[in-house]
Amino acid sequence: RLGDDAPNFTAPTTQGEIDFYDWKGDSWAVLFSHPKDFTPVCTTEIGRLALKYDKLSEMGCLVATLSVDPVKSHEEWLEDVVAHCENKIEIKFPIIGDQDRSISVAYGMIDPGNLDEQKLPLTIRAVFIINPENKLMLSLNYPACVGRNMDEIVRCVEALQLSYEKSIAVSRYFSY
């Protein structure tokens, strides 16, 4: 729930094993979940997120994504993502493997109506923005059939950071 501590975890990623809290340190973080590697919407989202990565990084915000597929599948998928974007992007953020769904369950990302080949639930398209104290500041959940707007995610991070620093509410759209 908003304001609660985001669950910590240790998991394999495309950039090696991470302990989420250690990896995040005292930074802001955006954690995305994807239903499955190699799906068209997920491929497009990873590409769009890669294009926003430098802006988020400048804002002191780390990015990680998660899928229930194994890391080896993520690595193969990233080749497709880069090819889809005509080699104009670099994926600088880790993609977390969550084959046992433990992270997905801890964060409430499970979609019981969307099953993989082994009849195990996949994850919804979730977005979590976590502050430097590891508190959950924003949670967005989308069904598997709806993609996310990366400009909106960047806007939310900026608004949350401004609110965090100045204790104000933000309603205007920030332009990038």
Side-chain angles (χ1 to χ4, degrees):
R1 295 179 187 222
L2 296 181
D4 286 349
D5 288 338
N8 191 27
F9 57 86
T10 301
T13 79
T14 54
Q15 297 180 358
E17 186 170 282
I18 64 167
D19 173 284
F20 186 67
Y21 282 5
D22 287 345
W23 170 81
K24 190 184 136 317
D26 61 357
S27 297
W28 285 80
V30 173
L31 176 63
F32 281 71
S33 62
H34 296 280
K36 189 130 183 81
D37 295 348
F38 296 99
T39 62
V41 174
C42 294
T43 300
T44 302
E45 287 181 331
I46 291 287
R48 294 294 303 159
L49 184 57
L51 293 172
K52 297 295 181 185
Y53 178 84
D54 288 339
K55 175 66 178 173
L56 288 164
S57 185
E58 289 169 14
M59 296 166 64
C61 186
L62 299 174
V63 174
T65 66
L66 173 145
S67 170
V68 297
D69 290 317
V71 170
K72 179 149 179 56
S73 174
H74 298 340
E75 291 166 348
E76 294 168 358
W77 176 40
L78 289 179
E79 293 175 22
D80 274 6
V81 172
V82 172
H84 174 76
C85 296
E86 300 174 2
N87 298 318
K88 295 179 183 174
I89 62 165
E90 181 181 355
I91 309 300
K92 299 177 184 175
F93 47 88
I95 301 181
I96 300 162
D98 186 30
Q99 281 185 275
D100 69 0
R101 276 78 167 160
S102 61
I103 302 165
S104 301
V105 168
Y107 276 82
M109 300 178 198
I110 291 295
D111 180 358
N114 193 5
L115 305 176
D116 70 8
E117 305 82 34
Q118 289 85 36
K119 305 294 184 215
L120 296 171
L122 298 176
T123 51
I124 58 175
R125 293 183 197 285
V127 179
F128 301 96
I129 300 177
I130 301 160
N131 78 9
E133 286 83 36
N134 298 318
K135 302 289 184 193
L136 180 61
M137 301 302 293
L138 179 137
S139 174
L140 297 170
N141 294 317
Y142 296 76
C145 61
V146 178
R148 292 161 283 194
N149 181 318
M150 299 310 152
D151 291 327
E152 174 64 4
I153 302 310
V154 172
R155 184 194 72 82
C156 287
V157 170
E158 186 173 29
L160 286 167
Q161 288 179 338
L162 182 60
S163 173
Y164 180 79
E165 294 294 323
K166 308 273 188 207
S167 191
I168 61 172
V170 179
S171 64
R172 72 179 180 96
Y173 183 79
F174 298 91
S175 62
Y176 299 104

